[in-house]
Amino acid sequence: MSGSDSVRPVLGLTTYLQQAQTGVWDVRASFLPAIYLDGVSRAGGIAALLPPQPVDDGIADRLLAGLDGLIITGGRDVMPASYGQRPHPATDEDLADNRMRDALEFALVRGAMRRGMPLLGICRGAQVLNVALGGTLHQHLPDVVGHTHHQQGNAVFSTSSVRTVPGTRLAALIGESSDAQCYHHQAIDRLGEGLVVGARDADGVIEAVEIPGDTFVLAVQWHPEERLDDLRLFAGVVAAAADYATERLGA
């Protein structure tokens, strides 16, 4: 019997930290769009939010100790100092809250990989995974591909056709190709250690990466939460997290 038949796993999802408005309030807040939570719950998991906060590897391990899987979500640009570059004019401002989120997510990625915990990266999450493993990013894709299709602005997602690499975990999950909802002006450049490309788009831009092997470590540059009629990526990480939980709990 697989873990997904016996355990409903808890997956931690990282969150934003920035100024936010709600009703009469205009406050610094940690938050995450609810569609991420819907993706996890519809796939059979339990969602737990992980707000940016001061962190070291010990704190990250304490957070991970109560989880069965990890999702690094979308958000602002990874600070380029973390991969040895100066900021591009189009890169998000280097703010303390952005650095705090980077530090937390890098520590969580390191901790999850030490534990063999399933991990799914979404958009920014793919970039975080790549940088955490020593890779670099293209800071502004229009400089590379010559157009703004990947991020048209004004919160309008564009649809890109991505083709998977045969033999990858991603190909096994979603098949040869998929229409992806994209909103990113950055992308993976040099791959981090141990990562392989899982998909590219028509421009040759890396749209997914993964680590081969038994542990589910997969990240996509697009936003699967924007298409909850297709739960295959969420179902994949939830099933892996259920198996992880079953083994961890001795069920």
Side-chain angles (χ1 to χ4, degrees):
M1 178 181 293
S2 72
S4 56
D5 294 327
S6 56
V7 176
R8 190 171 185 188
V10 178
L11 288 91
L13 295 90
T14 57
T15 73
Y16 293 70
L17 179 60
Q18 61 194 69
Q19 203 72 14
Q21 294 181 336
T22 175
V24 299
W25 305 105
D26 184 358
V27 297
R28 180 169 168 260
S30 175
F31 62 92
L32 187 69
I35 48 177
Y36 285 96
L37 314 183
D38 291 344
V40 171
S41 61
R42 291 186 191 187
I46 301 166
L49 297 185
L50 303 173
Q53 57 194 285
V55 69
D56 57 28
D57 285 347
I59 292 171
D61 280 338
R62 288 285 289 155
L63 289 171
L64 293 167
L67 303 175
D68 307 307
L70 178 66
I71 298 178
I72 306 295
T73 62
R76 291 184 167 182
D77 298 335
V78 176
M79 294 296 95
S82 61
Y83 50 95
Q85 293 184 12
R86 294 179 180 273
H88 186 283
T91 297
D92 287 333
E93 189 177 358
D94 186 356
L95 301 175
D97 284 347
N98 294 350
R99 293 194 300 273
M100 187 183 299
R101 181 175 180 183
D102 287 356
L104 176 72
E105 293 182 345
F106 292 149
L108 290 172
V109 166
R110 291 193 299 266
M113 294 191 62
R114 284 196 299 270
R115 292 168 175 265
M117 176 181 286
L119 184 156
L120 174 66
I122 293 175
C123 196
R124 167 190 159 91
Q127 298 166 10
V128 167
L129 175 63
N130 191 60
V131 173
L133 297 177
T136 63
L137 305 178
H138 294 299
Q139 286 192 55
H140 194 52
L141 263 181
D143 293 347
V144 179
V145 297
H147 59 75
T148 60
H149 175 74
H150 297 87
Q151 187 184 81
Q152 297 182 23
N154 297 316
V156 176
F157 286 83
S158 58
T159 301
S160 295
S161 179
V162 300
R163 294 198 64 83
T164 60
V165 175
T168 58
R169 176 176 284 109
L170 181 64
L173 279 173
I174 70 170
E176 293 182 1
S177 64
S178 181
D179 288 336
Q181 297 299 295
C182 291
Y183 197 85
H184 61 97
H185 82 108
Q186 299 195 333
I188 290 170
D189 182 9
R190 188 184 74 243
L191 285 174
E193 183 178 359
L195 290 173
V196 299
V197 175
R200 294 183 185 269
D201 69 5
D203 292 311
V205 174
I206 295 173
E207 288 286 348
V209 291
E210 61 183 67
I211 295 180
D214 295 334
T215 301
F216 187 108
V217 179
L218 170 64
V220 297
Q221 186 63 77
W222 67 88
H223 285 270
E225 78 281 3
E226 291 292 328
R227 286 281 311 273
L228 292 183
D229 57 327
D230 181 355
L231 288 173
R232 288 176 294 180
L233 285 171
F234 283 106
V237 71
V238 167
D243 290 337
Y244 177 90
T246 299
E247 182 176 349
R248 180 168 69 92
L249 298 173

